[in-house]
Amino acid sequence: MPEPTHKLKIALLGCGQIADAHLSQIARIDSVEVVAVCDVHEDLAYQAAARFNVPKTYTNLDRMISEVRPDVVHITTPAHTHADLSIKLLNAGCHVYVEKPFTLDATESASVLAAVEFSNRSICVGHDQLFDPMWLRCRDWIQRGLIGKVGHIESILGYPIAGNFGALVAANPNHSVRKLPGGLFQNTISHPLYRITDLMDEDQPKIIGGWHTQPEYDFPTEMQLSFQGRTQSASLTFSTHIPPQRITRVYGSKGSLEIDIDAQTIRLNKIAKLPGAFAKLEVSWQHLRNASWNFANNCWRFAKADIHYFAGMKGLFETFYGSIQNGTDPPIPPHQIHRVTQLMDRIFDHCREQDGTSRINNVSTTPNQEVSKCL
Amino acid sequence: MPVIATVTGATGFLGRRLVHSLLEENDLIVRCLLRESSDTDALYENVPVIARERIEIHRGELNDKKFVEEHFANSDVVYHLAAALGGSASTMFLNTVIPTRQLLETAARVNVGRFVLISSMGVYGTQTVKRWGTLDESTPVDPMPEKRDPYTFSKVRQETVAQELSESLGLPLVIVRPGVIYGPGRSAVTSRVGLPLGPMVIRMGGGQQLPYTFVENCAEGIKLAGLTPDMSGEIFNLVDDDLPTGKRILRLMKQQGQRIRTLWIPRGAIGPLSRIYEWYSNWSEGQLPPVLTRHKCEAMWKPLRYSNAKAKHKLNWKPKISTEDGLQQTIAG
């Protein structure tokens, strides 16, 4: 039964750095309004409310729910709190948007998805790059058959450890991210992984590869994995040696696509049809056409003010809110959410097995005050 | 009994100079609360061996209440310098405001004699001051700090929290608002001079006074704010005499052989340009971030005069290093 269309009341839980991205993108959507923010630290809630004109702040979740009765709550707290908070909010009658990673493991994921069924509410996970304009175009071109059947996907994440967040994690052995079952990777590989699962048919392919610890660190910082399915393969690279970048290459039977989410470019390379030396001219011509198309496209988008770092987030929010208002299926199907979580469990188990180690660390259920997203 | 002065952020650019300044006082012990990872080499640099014995080093985290309580105990004065210098607003609040709240509560619980909070002159709102008017301690704090940069926003909130807790917990509080602190190891070309754009600096105006204070002068003023009797509840601005202009700093750098490329925006153009930029940022829903707004431009580059009369009069503070010498030392590195 579709719910009546009205301006959805949004609340946000956990006012750390990623909350800024959520609040700035929600502000761009006319069909909703942010009615409250909540954080255990009143100062964090205060700063978010002041900068984004949010009328109410809370330090107590129960009080926020009972007083503002939000339709949707965004959870932007540390990962180890996601499952309990999601279940609590679903049972309280709220639709829930959870930042990645969805939960600590597949057991928690199953519990949350069971609560979704039971409560008849919707849930969405922050797999926002699937709604980035370049990724949507990639999917469109694949569906139009421009590269034929997808056979291999290559997903790369550049993550300098000296960056803002990486440096915090590296400097503090008690940082909550270091205590996740998959350590730093649990907080970061969702994005490159779901870019693979979005195009890979096989739910749980064979995993080859592992993680690596640089000598100057006491936790794994590099990851190189290969996924082998029956008809498709994929590779995932997480590297702290290269500048920040989010690149995916999709190889098909007729050609390939390269999607650079940071540069907002997409390149279509078709298999050359001309013979011998002429093929070299044909491929170079394709590169020139790609460059011209991307330049013109980005100029046009810049003129329309359509270039935003978190464009995918806005797209996902709009689709999720629309599904709530129209009573349609949520944008990320629950089985896809669970699939990524299961795959992450298998990846971390596999890496530990290769490494001969037990869990990176015990999961802390105590909020760490040095983590901005604490609740 | 010796005076115990406890310092947070003691190995920082300003902190180590404060420690050195405090060690000039006889019968005073400096207790430094440092992180495990903090390097103490610079702290001990140029400190006579005999004076080193009066430095206590305690390592721990400022969000560890037990650690702080143990070392705030018996402190006659706490100088709170530790603060985040960069990052998003939430990061700044997390690393500046929240620890300050906890430190103040602990300080009140263990009866610290005086809490000296190092804030910033950036907290002032310049809307009420006329062009070329004088900004002093009576100037109101910016009523819309959320429209400024994250550092300033967090400093305004930090002061508010400190003043509220000081009142409710009965903790003697002194707030020091230094201007832009410069010295060897930190460039004199700051956002007050202009904005970096790749290898260039966009010089904003250039003839207006800059609220600068040489790091050793500033440390001396902070020391006095903690040790001068009967100062509870006071606020002090710290800026040097003979304040420089952006033009003067860049000229000096060029004279000393430093190559620095600049693009000049005349003062009269800053207002209109900031209006256009702000309009575009809003219209484009942040395609270009609102780094240049009317509010920020007023606060940063409005031509004002800055008074240090109160610190001179009440603390008997005098900037020992002239601006000319300070700039020469800074540019020489």
Side-chain angles (χ1 to χ4, degrees):
Chain A
M1 182 75 182
E3 294 183 10
T5 304
H6 66 286
K7 223 170 193 187
L8 287 178
K9 291 195 288 182
I10 313 291
L12 182 136
L13 186 57
C15 298
Q17 200 160 322
I18 196 63
D20 285 7
H22 282 239
L23 291 168
S24 66
Q25 296 311 305
I26 298 169
R28 298 178 59 211
I29 301 171
D30 292 333
S31 62
V32 300
E33 58 181 339
V34 182
V35 290
V37 289
C38 180
D39 196 292
V40 281
H41 295 298
E42 63 176 284
D43 298 306
L44 281 185
Y46 162 81
Q47 61 82 25
R51 290 187 300 127
F52 294 98
N53 297 317
V54 180
K56 290 187 173 172
T57 63
Y58 292 89
T59 55
N60 182 292
L61 176 59
D62 293 326
R63 205 170 142 221
M64 179 175 82
I65 296 170
S66 68
E67 287 187 12
V68 302
R69 308 203 68 78
D71 297 303
V72 183
V73 178
H74 285 233
I75 299 177
T76 51
T77 56
H80 65 263
T81 64
H82 287 180
D84 288 348
L85 289 172
S86 298
I87 293 168
K88 184 185 177 94
L89 287 161
L90 289 162
N91 290 337
C94 304
H95 302 284
V96 175
Y97 183 104
V98 192
E99 243 316 320
K100 57 83 197 163
F102 184 57
T103 52
L104 287 183
D105 53 36
T107 311
E108 281 192 354
S109 166
S111 306
V112 176
L113 295 175
V116 171
E117 284 283 315
F118 179 76
S119 63
N120 200 24
R121 300 283 94 181
S122 275
I123 200 156
C124 188
V125 66
H127 293 178
D128 50 84
Q129 287 170 21
L130 300 181
F131 288 77
D132 182 272
M134 286 301 110
W135 192 261
L136 293 174
R137 188 172 291 274
C138 157
R139 292 225 45 141
D140 178 48
W141 285 5
I142 290 171
Q143 274 167 18
R144 284 164 52 191
L146 296 190
I147 61 165
K149 181 169 167 33
V150 173
H152 182 76
I153 307 124
E154 192 181 308
S155 187
I156 296 169
L157 177 66
Y159 194 90
I161 201 81
N164 284 345
F165 190 71
L168 278 177
V169 175
N172 183 1
N174 295 317
H175 197 289
S176 67
V177 165
R178 298 268 289 268
K179 297 182 176 183
L180 296 172
L184 179 62
F185 305 113
Q186 185 134 24
N187 209 47
T188 47
I189 66 160
S190 299
H191 291 310
L193 185 60
Y194 66 67
R195 295 199 305 260
I196 290 172
T197 56
D198 195 41
L199 300 174
M200 197 166 193
D201 298 330
E202 192 151 326
D203 259 14
Q204 298 297 325
K206 185 182 174 192
I207 300 169
I208 302 164
W211 60 33
H212 171 70
T213 304
Q214 290 184 56
E216 58 268 45
Y217 296 102
D218 56 355
F219 61 97
T221 54
E222 316 298 317
M223 182 178 268
Q224 185 88 53
L225 298 171
S226 170
F227 302 96
Q228 295 296 330
R230 279 187 300 277
T231 57
Q232 288 175 305
S233 59
S235 70
L236 186 154
T237 302
F238 175 100
S239 175
T240 64
H241 299 302
I242 56 176
Q245 53 199 290
R246 300 169 292 171
I247 293 174
T248 312
R249 292 190 186 89
V250 186
Y251 299 86
S253 52
K254 295 186 200 164
S256 64
L257 286 168
E258 180 185 291
I259 305 100
D260 184 334
I261 289 180
D262 289 299
Q264 287 290 289
T265 56
I266 181 167
R267 290 198 319 176
L268 169 63
N269 298 312
K270 291 194 170 182
I271 307 286
K273 288 177 183 158
L274 296 177
F278 289 114
K280 317 307 174 205
L281 302 178
E282 185 188 351
V283 171
S284 303
W285 170 244
Q286 281 184 25
H287 289 182
L288 189 64
R289 282 185 59 187
N290 275 314
S292 307
W293 185 89
N294 279 305
F295 181 70
N297 184 50
N298 281 349
C299 284
W300 173 236
R301 289 180 61 203
F302 187 90
K304 289 193 301 176
D306 186 33
I307 295 181
H308 296 271
Y309 186 83
F310 290 108
M313 196 178 266
K314 184 194 174 215
L316 179 54
F317 290 173
E318 277 178 318
T319 314
F320 180 49
Y321 301 152
S323 74
I324 293 166
Q325 287 167 321
N326 301 322
T328 53
D329 289 338
I332 315 273
H335 73 270
Q336 286 292 352
I337 297 176
H338 193 58
R339 175 190 175 194
V340 172
T341 313
Q342 279 181 314
L343 197 47
M344 282 173 73
D345 280 1
R346 286 184 56 224
I347 288 170
F348 302 138
D349 285 344
H350 174 81
C351 289
R352 278 190 288 269
E353 203 176 295
Q354 296 293 308
D355 206 22
T357 55
S358 55
R359 294 186 99 162
I360 284 183
N361 229 321
N362 290 327
V363 181
S364 167
T365 50
T366 309
N368 183 324
Q369 290 177 333
E370 284 209 14
V371 181
S372 57
K373 298 188 288 186
C374 246
L375 190 88
Chain B
M1 286 285 283
V3 170
I4 297 177
T6 300
V7 182
T8 70
T11 54
F13 179 69
L14 175 62
R16 59 181 189 261
R17 268 80 171 203
L18 173 63
V19 171
H20 296 167
S21 184
L22 285 165
L23 289 172
E24 290 170 3
E25 304 295 314
N26 293 321
D27 215 20
L28 185 145
I29 290 170
V30 187
R31 186 178 285 172
C32 304
L33 307 192
L34 305 179
R35 281 187 175 151
E36 288 294 342
S37 57
S38 295
D39 186 354
T40 54
D41 289 354
L43 191 64
Y44 288 114
E45 211 171 90
N46 302 324
V47 176
V49 176
I50 191 79
R52 291 182 184 196
E53 292 169 2
R54 291 192 284 126
I55 301 177
E56 285 180 15
I57 302 289
H58 301 282
R59 292 187 182 272
E61 294 292 328
L62 290 183
N63 59 20
D64 178 348
K65 285 183 186 171
K66 199 175 158 203
F67 167 76
V68 174
E69 192 165 313
E70 190 182 335
H71 299 295
F72 271 15
N74 308 323
S75 296
D76 296 285
V77 55
V78 168
Y79 293 96
H80 178 38
L81 279 71
L85 293 175
S88 66
S90 55
T91 305
M92 300 292 293
F93 269 64
L94 189 75
N95 295 326
T96 299
V97 182
I98 293 166
T100 300
R101 185 182 283 281
Q102 291 166 354
L103 293 182
L104 284 155
E105 286 166 353
T106 305
R109 203 160 48 243
V110 299
N111 294 317
V112 162
R114 182 182 298 180
F115 193 98
V116 181
L117 176 69
I118 312 309
S119 180
S120 164
M121 227 172 157
V123 299
Y124 289 109
T126 56
Q127 299 86 349
T128 56
V129 189
K130 288 182 180 165
R131 287 161 71 89
W132 304 108
T134 299
L135 185 148
D136 61 17
E137 289 83 350
S138 66
T139 305
V141 165
D142 193 332
M144 292 184 290
E146 68 277 8
K147 294 190 182 301
R148 299 275 295 279
D149 58 283
Y151 175 78
T152 306
F153 185 23
S154 69
K155 280 293 179 187
V156 172
R157 178 69 173 178
Q158 185 190 32
E159 279 199 15
T160 307
V161 166
Q163 284 168 328
E164 283 172 5
L165 287 176
S166 165
E167 200 171 318
S168 63
L169 303 174
L171 176 70
L173 173 74
V174 176
I175 294 175
V176 180
R177 294 172 178 162
V180 179
I181 305 167
Y182 73 102
R186 190 181 280 184
S187 174
V189 180
T190 67
S191 54
R192 291 274 179 173
V193 175
L195 298 171
L197 183 70
M200 291 174 59
V201 173
I202 303 179
R203 177 159 66 90
M204 307 299 276
Q208 71 271 29
Q209 274 192 357
L210 304 178
Y212 272 33
T213 177
F214 188 66
V215 62
E216 282 166 24
N217 295 337
C218 181
E220 174 83 6
I222 291 169
K223 175 182 78 176
L224 294 171
L227 300 180
T228 309
D230 304 324
M231 288 296 135
S232 184
E234 296 288 356
I235 294 172
F236 296 102
N237 293 347
L238 292 181
V239 286
D240 292 346
D241 297 325
D242 183 27
L243 290 175
T245 63
K247 206 156 56 177
R248 181 176 160 196
I249 290 171
L250 292 169
R251 195 173 57 230
L252 262 173
M253 290 177 79
K254 282 177 185 163
Q255 281 170 1
Q256 294 209 7
Q258 292 197 11
R259 286 190 66 188
I260 186 157
R261 286 197 292 173
T262 57
L263 176 69
W264 177 49
I265 305 287
R267 197 167 52 239
I270 294 173
L273 278 177
S274 66
R275 280 188 187 89
I276 293 168
Y277 186 95
E278 188 174 4
W279 169 83
Y280 179 79
S281 182
N282 287 334
W283 173 80
S284 68
E285 296 179 334
Q287 178 167 266
L288 296 183
V291 290
L292 202 63
T293 65
R294 279 171 292 176
H295 192 75
K296 286 179 185 171
C297 288
E298 280 273 296
M300 292 293 284
W301 301 300
K302 188 174 188 177
L304 300 171
R305 292 190 170 82
Y306 301 91
S307 169
N308 59 12
K310 184 177 173 186
K312 281 180 159 179
H313 173 66
K314 288 204 160 189
L315 301 177
N316 202 22
W317 173 65
K318 189 175 182 310
K320 288 178 186 164
I321 312 286
S322 71
T323 296
E324 186 69 24
D325 287 349
L327 287 174
Q328 296 282 3
Q329 285 184 37
T330 304
I331 295 165

